[in-house]
């Protein structure tokens, strides 16, 4: 897993927020998980250029950061879903504002 070379500034809320949502695939994953629960194969279909390894790594980081959660179902074949947490839902307004800003560029 990626390790930061410089420590985060605990007194900078913007830097902490950007750290948890930055990553090549995190914004795309989060914007979809904010809409509905997803399985890894659904995420892979939406991001065919992303490797499975990169997606699982970034999903793991977002689970660790408390933005999404992983639920394993006791079924055969195995079923795993990713869903947004209460903390992750708070990113809705952040993503809305980023989208509005991007539309102006």
């Amino acid at each position: 897993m990626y390790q930061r070379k410089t420590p985060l500034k605990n007194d900078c809320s913007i830097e902490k927020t950007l750290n948890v949502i930055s990553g090549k695939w995190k914004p795309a994953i989060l914007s979809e998980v904010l809409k509905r629960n997803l399985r890894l194969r659904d995420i892979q279909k939406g991001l065919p250029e992303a490797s499975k390894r990169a997606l699982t790594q970034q999903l793991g980081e977002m689970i660790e950061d408390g933005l999404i959660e992983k639920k394993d179902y006791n079924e055969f074949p195995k079923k795993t879903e990713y869903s947004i947490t209460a903390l992750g839902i708070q990113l809705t307004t952040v993503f809305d504002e980023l989208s509005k800003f991007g539309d102006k560029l």
Side-chain angles (χ1 to χ4, degrees):
M1 191 170 288
Y2 171 77
Q3 295 294 322
R4 287 183 59 89
K5 292 181 177 79
T6 57
L8 279 176
K9 297 175 189 164
N10 286 329
D11 61 339
C12 183
S13 300
I14 294 172
E15 185 177 347
K16 289 191 295 187
T17 302
L18 289 174
N19 182 60
V20 298
I21 65 171
S22 65
K24 188 166 186 176
W25 308 110
K26 285 182 184 180
I29 294 168
L30 283 168
S31 66
E32 289 304 311
V33 176
L34 279 165
K35 296 174 193 168
R36 61 184 175 31
N37 295 352
L38 294 171
R39 297 175 73 174
L40 180 58
R41 70 174 178 213
D42 299 326
I43 297 168
Q44 287 178 294
K45 284 180 189 175
L47 300 168
E49 59 280 356
S51 70
K52 182 177 180 179
R53 180 176 179 256
L55 292 175
T56 54
Q57 178 182 354
Q58 293 199 352
L59 283 164
E61 290 171 8
M62 290 186 286
I63 290 168
E64 192 174 298
D65 291 331
L67 301 179
I68 61 173
E69 62 186 5
K70 177 180 176 180
K71 182 174 182 185
D72 292 314
Y73 292 88
N74 193 13
E75 297 179 358
F76 183 81
K78 185 179 175 183
K79 179 181 175 183
T80 301
E81 278 189 344
Y82 296 92
S83 59
I84 200 76
T85 63
L87 179 63
I89 287 172
Q90 295 178 37
L91 287 171
T92 303
T93 55
V94 173
F95 274 65
D96 289 344
E97 292 302 315
L98 287 171
S99 181
K100 287 177 191 173
F101 182 81
D103 289 342
K104 295 176 185 178
L105 297 176

